[in-house]
Amino acid sequence: MAPIISILSLLLCSASAYKLSDRPTLKYGTAWKKDATADLVYKATKSGFRHIDTACQPRHYDEGGVGNGWTKAARELNLERKDIWIQTKFSGLSAHDPKNVPYDANAPLEDRVWQSLEKSLENLQTDYIDSWIMHGPEDNWDNHWKVWKTMESAVDEGKALQLGISNFYKLEDVQWAYDNARIKPSVVQNRFYAESGHDVEIRAFCKEHDIEYQSFWTLAANSDAYQHQDAQELAKAKGLSPEGLFYAFCMAIGISPMDGTTNELHMKEDMALMNRIQSGEQIFANSDELAIVGEALGIPPWKTEDEL
């Protein structure tokens, strides 16, 4: 198999020239951290994370804890708001605990979207959101466009800098959402797992249209790809944990993974990996090394050359 030209050399700048807009990158994921959220976001930011993902969905996220965590770390590190990239989400009514909805459940849909954004701005202690995501599809396209057009208005007002969609697993739905939007989605964030075929077609669409594909369940759903003997030996040779090797693999094929570690040592290891990549290091020397991880995903049959 012929040597590859690493996608990293095309998409990542050197560490000295790194910008928050560069991608792919590891993003700190804050789901299911409950009362530990503020402390974990603080530690993640202190460890080097500059991209943080959350949602205005109290059932699974403590958005206020995210705000407390990043601001505490920023004060100690002398960081400004522009030095941190914050992504949050509007979650539809069905995604919430009926006893804890962050907006007026009886209000018109467009008002719920605005109320969710205002609550996010308050929780996150900011006057703008870097990336605002529709957390999941609405129950019909009419409601989808009510939500999306309201989100577009927030971009017009400078309260959100870009928009995206999450949990869209049909290529035709992603295409329709993209083709008919005035402000195009800049992000697709999906579960990265075998049942969706690892979103091969959706990721190809994202690459074609310069959309950032973000993954969650990245490690939990794909352990077979990085825990087998060949992957462990490759990880050791690269000075990485098997999990770090899989993150490197994802970024090598253009994916920005959500990294939800609660271990401070792992946070620092993951940022050390980002520093290596940002400095221009090619973690995978050739396509055969990539295939050690990629082909173990198995469903669908992995075609390493198609990923490059």
Side-chain angles (χ1 to χ4, degrees):
M1 195 173 291
I4 64 170
I5 299 175
S6 172
I7 195 171
L8 300 178
S9 64
L10 300 176
L11 296 181
L12 291 174
C13 301
S14 67
S16 61
Y18 177 66
K19 303 186 297 293
L20 287 180
S21 59
D22 290 334
R23 62 180 198 256
T25 186
L26 291 172
K27 294 172 167 58
Y28 191 65
T30 62
W32 309 301
K33 291 176 172 55
K34 300 183 180 180
D35 292 343
T37 299
D39 184 57
L40 289 169
V41 170
Y42 166 78
K43 289 177 178 176
T45 307
K46 291 279 283 190
S47 297
F49 280 90
R50 295 294 180 267
H51 297 78
I52 303 170
D53 173 83
T54 186
C56 192
Q57 186 194 29
R59 171 181 277 175
H60 298 308
Y61 295 82
D62 179 2
E63 203 177 39
V66 173
N68 290 335
W70 86 259
T71 53
K72 178 182 177 182
R75 286 192 297 271
E76 294 182 11
L77 296 169
N78 293 316
L79 297 176
E80 299 179 22
R81 171 63 182 88
K82 64 181 178 62
D83 299 318
I84 301 290
W85 188 94
I86 298 174
Q87 177 171 274
T88 193
K89 307 175 190 77
F90 165 75
S91 304
L93 193 57
S94 63
H96 293 287
D97 178 345
K99 297 179 181 179
N100 193 7
V101 180
Y103 47 72
D104 181 358
N106 296 311
L109 181 54
E110 295 90 339
D111 290 348
R112 291 180 230 159
V113 178
W114 276 115
Q115 291 170 16
S116 177
L117 176 60
E118 292 302 326
K119 177 58 70 174
S120 290
L121 293 171
E122 176 187 347
N123 286 339
L124 296 166
Q125 303 178 45
T126 182
D127 57 5
Y128 70 93
I129 303 298
D130 294 275
S131 184
W132 194 26
I133 306 298
M134 181 187 292
H135 207 167
E138 290 293 314
D139 53 7
N140 59 67
W141 282 107
D142 285 343
N143 283 343
H144 171 94
W145 293 117
K146 287 180 181 179
V147 171
W148 192 260
K149 289 177 181 179
T150 306
M151 294 175 75
E152 289 177 326
S153 297
V155 176
D156 294 337
E157 294 187 14
K159 293 185 176 183
L161 303 188
Q162 68 174 33
L163 304 178
I165 56 178
S166 181
N167 294 297
F168 279 63
Y169 295 99
K170 295 180 179 178
L171 176 60
E172 58 267 31
D173 289 347
V174 175
Q175 290 174 320
W176 183 257
Y178 182 89
D179 290 343
N180 293 279
R182 176 173 62 88
I183 297 177
K184 307 298 185 185
S186 297
V187 171
V188 172
Q189 185 188 105
N190 276 353
R191 183 181 292 114
F192 186 63
Y193 70 145
E195 289 182 31
S196 67
H198 293 99
D199 279 348
V200 169
E201 292 182 340
I202 290 174
R203 289 189 292 109
F205 181 87
C206 288
K207 184 176 181 180
E208 180 182 356
H209 293 86
D210 194 30
I211 299 169
E212 181 179 29
Y213 181 90
Q214 301 174 0
S215 64
F216 62 92
W217 273 27
T218 311
L219 296 180
N222 298 289
S223 59
D224 288 348
Y226 59 85
Q227 289 185 349
H228 60 90
Q229 183 175 350
D230 288 346
Q232 291 188 34
E233 290 177 357
L234 181 61
K236 185 177 180 179
K238 301 296 181 180
L240 296 169
S241 66
E243 293 81 2
L245 184 76
F246 193 67
Y247 280 147
F249 168 83
C250 289
M251 288 185 282
I253 63 171
I255 296 171
S256 290
M258 297 298 109
D259 182 342
T261 182
T262 59
N263 184 298
E264 193 170 2
L265 176 60
H266 292 166
M267 293 176 185
K268 293 175 180 177
E269 289 175 345
D270 294 343
M271 287 299 94
L273 168 63
M274 282 304 309
N275 287 337
R276 290 171 62 179
I277 292 172
Q278 290 160 14
S279 69
E281 180 180 347
Q282 296 184 21
I283 302 298
F284 296 91
N286 52 55
S287 56
D288 290 337
E289 287 188 350
L290 270 173
I292 289 173
V293 178
E295 290 180 359
L297 290 173
I299 302 174
W302 198 264
K303 297 180 179 179
T304 307
E305 63 272 19
D306 291 346
E307 292 295 336
L308 303 170

